[in-house]
Amino acid sequence: MIAETTDAWHTARWQRELAEAITDPAELLERLRLPATLLPAARAAAAQFPLRAPRGFVARIEPGKPNDPLLRQILPLGIELDDQPGYGPDPVGDIAAMPHPGLLHKYQGRVLLTLTGACAVHCRYCFRRHFPYAEANPGRGHWPEVLDYIRADASIGEVIFSGGDPLLLTDARLHLLLTELEGIRHVRRLRIHTRVPVVLPSRLDARFCSLLGERRLPLVIVVHVNHARELSAEVVAALRPLRRAGITLLNQAVLLRGVNDSAAALTALSEALFDAGVLPYYLHALDRVQGARHFDVDQEVAIALVAALRRTLPGYLVPSLVREIAGAPHKEALTSAAGTDTFTA
Ligand SMILES: *Cc1c(COP(=O)(O)O)cnc(C)c1O
Ligand code: SF4
Protein backbone atom coordinates (compact mmCIF):
# COMPACT_ATOMS: atom_id res chain seq x y z
CA MET A 1 0.00 0.00 0.00
CA ILE A 2 1.41 3.35 -1.04
CA ALA A 3 0.54 6.00 1.51
CA GLU A 4 -0.92 9.26 0.19
CA THR A 5 1.69 11.14 2.22
CA THR A 6 4.63 9.75 0.24
CA ASP A 7 3.40 11.77 -2.74
CA ALA A 8 3.63 14.99 -0.79
CA TRP A 9 7.41 15.06 -0.86
CA HIS A 10 8.02 12.91 -3.91
CA THR A 11 7.78 15.11 -6.99
CA ALA A 12 8.34 12.70 -9.82
CA ARG A 13 9.90 13.70 -13.11
CA TRP A 14 6.53 13.47 -14.85
CA GLN A 15 5.00 15.95 -12.44
CA ARG A 16 7.74 18.45 -13.21
CA GLU A 17 7.33 17.90 -16.95
CA LEU A 18 3.60 18.38 -16.58
CA ALA A 19 4.12 21.66 -14.76
CA GLU A 20 6.54 22.79 -17.47
CA ALA A 21 4.16 22.12 -20.38
CA ILE A 22 3.90 24.88 -22.97
CA THR A 23 0.78 26.98 -22.40
CA ASP A 24 1.77 30.28 -24.03
CA PRO A 25 0.94 30.43 -27.76
CA ALA A 26 3.78 32.90 -28.33
CA GLU A 27 6.31 30.44 -26.95
CA LEU A 28 4.93 27.60 -29.07
CA LEU A 29 5.12 29.66 -32.27
CA GLU A 30 8.62 30.86 -31.47
CA ARG A 31 9.95 27.39 -30.66
CA LEU A 32 8.54 25.99 -33.87
CA ARG A 33 9.65 28.97 -35.98
CA LEU A 34 6.10 29.72 -37.05
CA PRO A 35 4.88 33.14 -38.23
CA ALA A 36 3.90 35.55 -35.46
CA THR A 37 0.86 36.45 -37.60
CA LEU A 38 -0.75 33.30 -36.16
CA LEU A 39 -0.53 34.72 -32.64
CA PRO A 40 -3.66 36.91 -32.25
CA ALA A 41 -5.98 34.11 -33.37
CA ALA A 42 -4.11 31.55 -31.25
CA ARG A 43 -4.49 33.81 -28.21
CA ALA A 44 -8.20 34.34 -28.87
CA ALA A 45 -8.91 30.60 -29.27
CA ALA A 46 -6.73 29.76 -26.26
CA ALA A 47 -8.81 32.11 -24.13
CA GLN A 48 -11.72 29.72 -24.68
CA PHE A 49 -9.80 26.42 -24.40
CA PRO A 50 -6.20 26.94 -23.29
CA LEU A 51 -3.15 25.71 -25.14
CA ARG A 52 -1.36 22.90 -23.31
CA ALA A 53 1.37 20.64 -24.66
CA PRO A 54 4.24 18.90 -22.87
CA ARG A 55 7.66 19.82 -24.24
CA GLY A 56 8.39 16.22 -25.22
CA PHE A 57 5.37 16.24 -27.52
CA VAL A 58 6.30 19.61 -29.03
CA ALA A 59 9.78 18.20 -29.77
CA ARG A 60 8.14 15.71 -32.17
CA ILE A 61 6.66 18.54 -34.26
CA GLU A 62 8.58 19.58 -37.36
CA PRO A 63 9.57 23.27 -37.05
CA GLY A 64 8.43 25.69 -39.73
CA LYS A 65 5.46 23.55 -40.82
CA PRO A 66 2.11 25.13 -39.90
CA ASN A 67 0.33 21.99 -41.16
CA ASP A 68 2.35 19.45 -39.21
CA PRO A 69 -0.14 16.73 -38.16
CA LEU A 70 0.97 16.86 -34.53
CA LEU A 71 0.88 20.65 -34.41
CA ARG A 72 -2.67 20.73 -35.78
CA GLN A 73 -3.83 18.74 -32.76
CA ILE A 74 -2.62 21.35 -30.26
CA LEU A 75 -2.40 24.80 -31.93
CA PRO A 76 -5.42 27.04 -31.15
CA LEU A 77 -6.84 28.52 -34.36
CA GLY A 78 -9.21 31.39 -35.07
CA ILE A 79 -11.67 29.15 -36.94
CA GLU A 80 -12.49 27.44 -33.63
CA LEU A 81 -14.36 30.61 -32.70
CA ASP A 82 -16.55 30.69 -35.83
CA ASP A 83 -20.23 29.99 -35.49
CA GLN A 84 -20.59 26.25 -36.15
CA PRO A 85 -24.22 25.19 -36.58
CA GLY A 86 -24.76 21.56 -35.56
CA TYR A 87 -21.72 21.62 -33.26
CA GLY A 88 -22.63 21.90 -29.58
CA PRO A 89 -21.13 21.78 -26.08
CA ASP A 90 -22.12 18.17 -25.21
CA PRO A 91 -22.29 16.27 -28.52
CA VAL A 92 -22.36 12.79 -26.98
CA GLY A 93 -25.05 13.32 -24.33
CA ASP A 94 -22.78 12.68 -21.36
CA ILE A 95 -24.71 14.88 -18.97
CA ALA A 96 -27.94 12.94 -19.52
CA ALA A 97 -26.23 9.63 -18.67
CA MET A 98 -24.77 10.66 -15.30
CA PRO A 99 -26.61 9.03 -12.37
CA HIS A 100 -23.98 10.42 -9.98
CA PRO A 101 -21.43 13.18 -10.52
CA GLY A 102 -18.56 11.69 -12.53
CA LEU A 103 -20.26 8.32 -13.21
CA LEU A 104 -21.49 7.71 -16.75
CA HIS A 105 -23.66 4.65 -17.26
CA LYS A 106 -24.61 4.52 -20.92
CA TYR A 107 -23.54 1.05 -22.00
CA GLN A 108 -24.58 -2.44 -20.95
CA GLY A 109 -22.17 -3.89 -18.41
CA ARG A 110 -19.77 -0.94 -18.35
CA VAL A 111 -19.56 2.31 -16.42
CA LEU A 112 -17.20 5.15 -17.08
CA LEU A 113 -15.74 7.41 -14.40
CA THR A 114 -14.60 10.94 -15.23
CA LEU A 115 -11.96 11.09 -12.50
CA THR A 116 -10.41 14.46 -13.23
CA GLY A 117 -10.86 17.38 -15.58
CA ALA A 118 -7.13 17.77 -16.08
CA CYS A 119 -5.25 16.59 -19.16
CA ALA A 120 -1.55 16.59 -19.96
CA VAL A 121 -2.33 17.93 -23.43
CA HIS A 122 -5.24 19.91 -24.75
CA CYS A 123 -6.48 18.40 -28.01
CA ARG A 124 -8.29 21.00 -30.06
CA TYR A 125 -10.87 18.45 -31.29
CA CYS A 126 -11.71 17.17 -27.80
CA PHE A 127 -15.42 16.45 -27.32
CA ARG A 128 -15.08 17.21 -23.64
CA ARG A 129 -13.59 20.67 -24.17
CA HIS A 130 -16.77 22.17 -22.67
CA PHE A 131 -17.43 19.41 -20.11
CA PRO A 132 -18.42 20.68 -16.62
CA TYR A 133 -15.69 18.80 -14.79
CA ALA A 134 -16.06 20.84 -11.63
CA GLU A 135 -19.57 19.42 -11.06
CA ALA A 136 -18.83 16.00 -12.55
CA ASN A 137 -16.03 14.64 -10.45
CA PRO A 138 -16.53 11.73 -8.08
CA GLY A 139 -13.38 12.81 -6.23
CA ARG A 140 -15.26 15.70 -4.73
CA GLY A 141 -17.02 13.76 -1.98
CA HIS A 142 -19.06 11.56 -4.33
CA TRP A 143 -16.79 8.51 -4.33
CA PRO A 144 -18.81 6.51 -1.72
CA GLU A 145 -22.06 6.89 -3.67
CA VAL A 146 -20.32 5.93 -6.93
CA LEU A 147 -18.93 2.78 -5.33
CA ASP A 148 -22.34 1.96 -3.85
CA TYR A 149 -23.89 2.33 -7.29
CA ILE A 150 -21.40 -0.13 -8.81
CA ARG A 151 -21.76 -2.55 -5.87
CA ALA A 152 -25.55 -2.51 -6.22
CA ASP A 153 -25.61 -3.41 -9.93
CA ALA A 154 -24.25 -6.89 -10.60
CA SER A 155 -24.50 -6.30 -14.36
CA ILE A 156 -21.50 -3.93 -14.18
CA GLY A 157 -18.54 -6.11 -15.16
CA GLU A 158 -16.15 -3.41 -16.29
CA VAL A 159 -15.19 -0.03 -14.90
CA ILE A 160 -13.48 2.49 -17.15
CA PHE A 161 -11.29 5.28 -15.79
CA SER A 162 -11.57 8.31 -18.00
CA GLY A 163 -11.36 12.05 -17.65
CA GLY A 164 -9.80 14.32 -18.49
CA ASP A 165 -6.90 12.00 -18.08
CA PRO A 166 -6.97 9.52 -15.18
CA LEU A 167 -3.20 9.04 -15.30
CA LEU A 168 -2.80 12.55 -13.90
CA LEU A 169 -4.02 11.19 -10.57
CA THR A 170 -1.21 10.34 -8.19
CA ASP A 171 -0.05 6.74 -7.86
CA ALA A 172 -1.54 6.63 -4.38
CA ARG A 173 -4.97 7.77 -5.55
CA LEU A 174 -4.99 5.35 -8.50
CA HIS A 175 -3.96 2.51 -6.25
CA LEU A 176 -6.76 3.31 -3.83
CA LEU A 177 -9.42 3.45 -6.57
CA LEU A 178 -8.22 0.25 -8.26
CA THR A 179 -8.13 -1.57 -4.93
CA GLU A 180 -11.66 -0.50 -4.00
CA LEU A 181 -13.02 -1.66 -7.35
CA GLU A 182 -11.12 -4.94 -7.17
CA GLY A 183 -13.02 -5.61 -3.97
CA ILE A 184 -16.37 -5.71 -5.80
CA ARG A 185 -17.18 -9.31 -6.68
CA HIS A 186 -18.94 -8.79 -10.02
CA VAL A 187 -16.31 -6.44 -11.47
CA ARG A 188 -14.16 -8.55 -13.82
CA ARG A 189 -12.04 -6.01 -15.69
CA LEU A 190 -10.70 -2.54 -15.23
CA ARG A 191 -9.93 -0.22 -18.08
CA ILE A 192 -8.03 3.06 -18.32
CA HIS A 193 -8.50 5.52 -21.19
CA THR A 194 -5.51 7.84 -21.39
CA ARG A 195 -3.41 10.00 -23.68
CA VAL A 196 -0.68 10.38 -21.06
CA PRO A 197 1.59 7.49 -22.19
CA VAL A 198 1.97 9.21 -25.56
CA VAL A 199 2.30 12.84 -24.51
CA LEU A 200 4.06 12.33 -21.15
CA PRO A 201 5.80 8.93 -21.26
CA SER A 202 7.79 9.71 -18.11
CA ARG A 203 4.49 9.11 -16.23
CA LEU A 204 5.05 5.37 -16.83
CA ASP A 205 7.94 5.22 -14.40
CA ALA A 206 9.03 2.13 -12.47
CA ARG A 207 6.86 3.00 -9.48
CA PHE A 208 3.77 3.32 -11.65
CA CYS A 209 4.46 0.15 -13.64
CA SER A 210 4.87 -1.93 -10.50
CA LEU A 211 1.62 -0.46 -9.17
CA LEU A 212 -0.26 -1.57 -12.29
CA GLY A 213 1.57 -4.82 -12.72
CA GLU A 214 0.30 -6.37 -9.50
CA ARG A 215 -3.46 -6.21 -9.89
CA ARG A 216 -6.06 -8.77 -8.95
CA LEU A 217 -8.13 -8.01 -12.06
CA PRO A 218 -7.15 -7.93 -15.73
CA LEU A 219 -6.31 -4.42 -16.84
CA VAL A 220 -6.83 -2.87 -20.25
CA ILE A 221 -5.18 0.42 -21.16
CA VAL A 222 -6.58 2.24 -24.17
CA VAL A 223 -4.09 4.86 -25.31
CA HIS A 224 -4.92 7.64 -27.74
CA VAL A 225 -2.57 8.08 -30.68
CA ASN A 226 -3.67 9.74 -33.91
CA HIS A 227 -0.48 9.78 -35.94
CA ALA A 228 2.50 7.42 -36.21
CA ARG A 229 4.96 10.22 -35.41
CA GLU A 230 3.48 10.53 -31.92
CA LEU A 231 5.05 7.15 -31.12
CA SER A 232 8.58 8.31 -30.39
CA ALA A 233 11.28 5.89 -29.24
CA GLU A 234 10.72 7.10 -25.68
CA VAL A 235 7.00 6.34 -25.87
CA VAL A 236 7.63 2.86 -27.26
CA ALA A 237 10.15 2.15 -24.50
CA ALA A 238 7.77 3.43 -21.83
CA LEU A 239 4.98 1.11 -23.01
CA ARG A 240 7.15 -2.01 -22.94
CA PRO A 241 6.96 -2.72 -19.18
CA LEU A 242 3.17 -2.50 -19.32
CA ARG A 243 3.09 -5.14 -22.02
CA ARG A 244 5.47 -7.30 -19.99
CA ALA A 245 3.16 -6.92 -17.01
CA GLY A 246 0.39 -8.56 -19.03
CA ILE A 247 -1.68 -5.44 -19.55
CA THR A 248 -3.74 -5.40 -22.74
CA LEU A 249 -2.81 -2.31 -24.76
CA LEU A 250 -5.25 -0.90 -27.30
CA ASN A 251 -5.46 2.37 -29.20
CA GLN A 252 -8.26 4.73 -30.01
CA ALA A 253 -7.71 7.41 -32.61
CA VAL A 254 -9.93 10.17 -33.87
CA LEU A 255 -10.17 10.59 -37.63
CA LEU A 256 -9.02 14.18 -38.14
CA ARG A 257 -8.83 16.21 -41.32
CA GLY A 258 -5.26 17.27 -41.98
CA VAL A 259 -3.89 14.88 -39.35
CA ASN A 260 -4.58 11.28 -40.33
CA ASP A 261 -7.24 11.35 -43.08
CA SER A 262 -5.29 9.32 -45.63
CA ALA A 263 -4.83 5.60 -46.13
CA ALA A 264 -1.06 6.11 -45.90
CA ALA A 265 -1.27 7.90 -42.54
CA LEU A 266 -3.67 5.34 -41.06
CA THR A 267 -1.61 2.41 -42.34
CA ALA A 268 1.56 3.90 -40.85
CA LEU A 269 -0.30 4.42 -37.58
CA SER A 270 -1.48 0.81 -37.38
CA GLU A 271 1.99 -0.51 -38.20
CA ALA A 272 3.67 1.77 -35.65
CA LEU A 273 1.14 0.81 -32.99
CA PHE A 274 1.83 -2.86 -33.52
CA ASP A 275 5.57 -2.21 -33.28
CA ALA A 276 4.85 -0.56 -29.91
CA GLY A 277 2.83 -3.57 -28.70
CA VAL A 278 -0.53 -1.83 -29.12
CA LEU A 279 -3.46 -3.00 -31.24
CA PRO A 280 -5.75 -0.52 -33.00
CA TYR A 281 -9.21 -0.62 -31.40
CA TYR A 282 -11.37 2.32 -32.46
CA LEU A 283 -11.15 4.96 -35.12
CA HIS A 284 -13.67 7.57 -33.98
CA ALA A 285 -15.60 9.80 -36.29
CA LEU A 286 -15.29 13.31 -34.88
CA ASP A 287 -17.79 14.21 -32.19
CA ARG A 288 -19.47 17.41 -33.30
CA VAL A 289 -18.25 19.68 -30.55
CA GLN A 290 -18.32 23.46 -31.00
CA GLY A 291 -14.90 24.61 -32.23
CA ALA A 292 -13.81 21.41 -34.00
CA ARG A 293 -15.61 21.57 -37.33
CA HIS A 294 -12.39 22.07 -39.33
CA PHE A 295 -11.32 18.54 -38.31
CA ASP A 296 -14.41 16.82 -39.67
CA VAL A 297 -14.01 14.15 -42.35
CA ASP A 298 -16.96 13.24 -44.55
CA GLN A 299 -18.51 9.96 -43.40
CA GLU A 300 -18.29 8.30 -46.83
CA VAL A 301 -14.61 9.28 -47.05
CA ALA A 302 -14.05 7.74 -43.61
CA ILE A 303 -15.71 4.49 -44.66
CA ALA A 304 -13.62 4.36 -47.85
CA LEU A 305 -10.42 4.91 -45.85
CA VAL A 306 -11.13 1.98 -43.56
CA ALA A 307 -12.01 -0.15 -46.60
CA ALA A 308 -8.60 0.75 -48.02
CA LEU A 309 -6.93 -0.39 -44.79
CA ARG A 310 -8.77 -3.68 -44.99
CA ARG A 311 -7.26 -4.32 -48.42
CA THR A 312 -3.68 -3.87 -47.25
CA LEU A 313 -3.48 -4.76 -43.56
CA PRO A 314 -4.20 -7.87 -41.53
CA GLY A 315 -7.61 -7.69 -39.88
CA TYR A 316 -6.14 -7.16 -36.43
CA LEU A 317 -4.54 -3.91 -37.59
CA VAL A 318 -7.79 -2.45 -38.94
CA PRO A 319 -9.60 -0.36 -36.29
CA SER A 320 -13.38 -0.27 -36.05
CA LEU A 321 -14.78 2.96 -37.40
CA VAL A 322 -17.34 4.17 -34.87
CA ARG A 323 -19.40 7.16 -33.94
CA GLU A 324 -20.75 8.08 -30.55
CA ILE A 325 -24.50 8.79 -30.70
CA ALA A 326 -26.10 10.69 -27.82
CA GLY A 327 -28.43 8.36 -25.92
CA ALA A 328 -27.52 5.22 -27.95
CA PRO A 329 -26.76 2.03 -25.97
CA HIS A 330 -23.39 1.47 -27.70
CA LYS A 331 -21.08 3.17 -30.17
CA GLU A 332 -22.37 2.94 -33.69
CA ALA A 333 -20.23 1.08 -36.23
CA LEU A 334 -20.03 3.02 -39.48
CA THR A 335 -20.38 0.95 -42.60
CA SER A 336 -21.53 2.08 -45.99
CA ALA A 337 -25.24 1.77 -46.71
CA ALA A 338 -24.34 1.73 -50.40
CA GLY A 339 -22.07 -1.27 -49.92
CA THR A 340 -18.92 0.42 -51.24
CA ASP A 341 -16.98 -1.49 -48.60
CA THR A 342 -17.61 -4.77 -50.43
CA PHE A 343 -15.13 -6.74 -52.48
CA THR A 344 -14.58 -5.77 -56.10
CA ALA A 345 -12.26 -7.91 -58.16
C1 LIG B 1 -16.86 4.60 -25.28
C2 LIG B 1 -17.54 4.53 -24.00
C3 LIG B 1 -17.53 3.36 -23.23
C4 LIG B 1 -16.82 2.11 -23.67
O1 LIG B 1 -17.30 1.63 -24.87
P1 LIG B 1 -16.61 0.32 -25.49
O2 LIG B 1 -17.37 0.10 -26.75
O3 LIG B 1 -16.74 -0.76 -24.49
O4 LIG B 1 -15.18 0.68 -25.73
C5 LIG B 1 -18.24 3.35 -22.05
N1 LIG B 1 -18.90 4.42 -21.60
C6 LIG B 1 -18.93 5.58 -22.30
C7 LIG B 1 -19.72 6.71 -21.75
C8 LIG B 1 -18.25 5.68 -23.51
O5 LIG B 1 -18.27 6.83 -24.18
S1 SF4 C 1 -6.34 14.04 -23.67
FE1 SF4 C 1 -8.38 13.26 -24.17
S2 SF4 C 1 -9.80 14.28 -22.75
FE2 SF4 C 1 -7.84 15.42 -22.74
S3 SF4 C 1 -8.08 17.06 -24.27
FE3 SF4 C 1 -7.13 15.32 -25.33
S4 SF4 C 1 -8.86 14.15 -26.18
FE4 SF4 C 1 -9.70 15.53 -24.60
Side-chain angles (χ1 to χ4, degrees):
M1 170 84 201
I2 299 162
E4 191 83 55
T5 48
T6 57
D7 282 34
W9 54 265
H10 177 84
T11 304
R13 184 181 137 204
W14 70 268
Q15 285 162 319
R16 286 195 306 275
E17 288 184 6
L18 182 66
E20 289 162 4
I22 293 181
T23 54
D24 176 7
E27 186 186 357
L28 181 72
L29 296 178
E30 198 176 315
R31 276 189 96 78
L32 294 172
R33 302 201 296 273
L34 292 168
T37 49
L38 293 168
L39 188 56
R43 283 236 159 92
Q48 208 191 65
F49 182 48
L51 163 70
R52 168 170 286 279
R55 282 162 203 275
F57 185 83
V58 173
R60 292 171 228 160
I61 298 172
E62 218 184 308
K65 294 261 170 68
N67 288 324
D68 180 278
L70 276 58
L71 177 69
R72 282 183 65 87
Q73 298 178 51
I74 59 158
L75 177 66
L77 296 178
I79 32 178
E80 294 175 25
L81 302 172
D82 291 355
D83 186 35
Q84 305 185 344
Y87 288 67
D90 179 25
V92 302
D94 274 348
I95 308 303
M98 202 160 59
H100 290 284
L103 176 97
L104 298 180
H105 195 181
K106 277 163 104 171
Y107 299 160
Q108 170 67 38
R110 287 148 288 168
V111 291
L112 185 141
L113 307 177
T114 54
L115 292 176
T116 168
C119 290
V121 65
H122 284 177
C123 313
R124 306 315 298 176
Y125 53 84
C126 179
F127 74 97
R128 292 211 179 109
R129 54 184 282 167
H130 308 286
F131 197 68
Y133 285 110
E135 302 105 80
N137 188 334
R140 287 162 211 269
H142 298 288
W143 189 241
E145 65 192 72
V146 164
L147 279 176
D148 283 345
Y149 181 95
I150 298 170
R151 272 192 207 103
D153 185 345
S155 77
I156 299 171
E158 181 169 3
V159 179
I160 303 167
F161 288 11
S162 182
D165 203 307
L167 290 197
L168 292 192
L169 301 186
T170 61
D171 288 347
R173 183 101 189 108
L174 278 172
H175 179 71
L176 207 73
L177 300 183
L178 291 167
T179 305
E180 294 252 34
L181 291 164
E182 283 173 333
I184 301 177
R185 203 174 303 120
H186 52 263
V187 175
R188 312 166 59 127
R189 287 185 297 280
L190 298 172
R191 191 189 330 173
I192 297 175
H193 282 190
T194 175
R195 191 144 162 70
V196 155
V198 185
V199 299
L200 199 69
S202 55
R203 174 70 184 96
L204 310 180
D205 55 18
R207 196 166 177 260
F208 174 79
C209 291
S210 68
L211 168 82
L212 287 197
E214 299 153 14
R215 306 310 321 178
R216 184 178 78 73
L217 290 178
L219 188 61
V220 179
I221 296 184
V222 181
V223 296
H224 175 178
V225 189
N226 298 312
H227 190 277
R229 265 196 14 235
E230 291 172 51
L231 289 160
S232 66
E234 196 195 351
V235 171
V236 175
L239 289 169
R240 204 167 292 132
L242 300 180
R243 269 299 297 294
R244 292 228 179 91
I247 296 166
T248 300
L249 299 180
L250 304 173
N251 183 58
Q252 54 179 342
V254 182
L255 182 59
L256 300 167
R257 191 157 90 212
V259 173
N260 58 11
D261 59 334
S262 71
L266 292 172
T267 301
L269 175 60
S270 277
E271 299 275 16
L273 285 167
F274 184 82
D275 292 344
V278 182
L279 288 178
Y281 175 40
Y282 278 149
L283 179 63
H284 287 271
L286 185 77
D287 294 313
R288 298 209 170 99
V289 67
Q290 168 67 36
R293 189 181 54 183
H294 57 292
F295 286 115
D296 201 20
V297 176
D298 182 78
Q299 182 159 315
E300 287 305 312
V301 172
I303 289 166
L305 281 171
V306 175
L309 297 188
R310 205 165 284 125
R311 285 192 287 274
T312 57
L313 288 170
Y316 59 86
L317 292 187
V318 180
S320 300
L321 179 65
V322 293
R323 184 186 287 287
E324 183 91 14
I325 309 273
H330 53 77
K331 296 191 205 300
E332 184 196 34
L334 299 183
T335 50
S336 175
T340 50
D341 194 9
T342 53
F343 173 72
T344 44

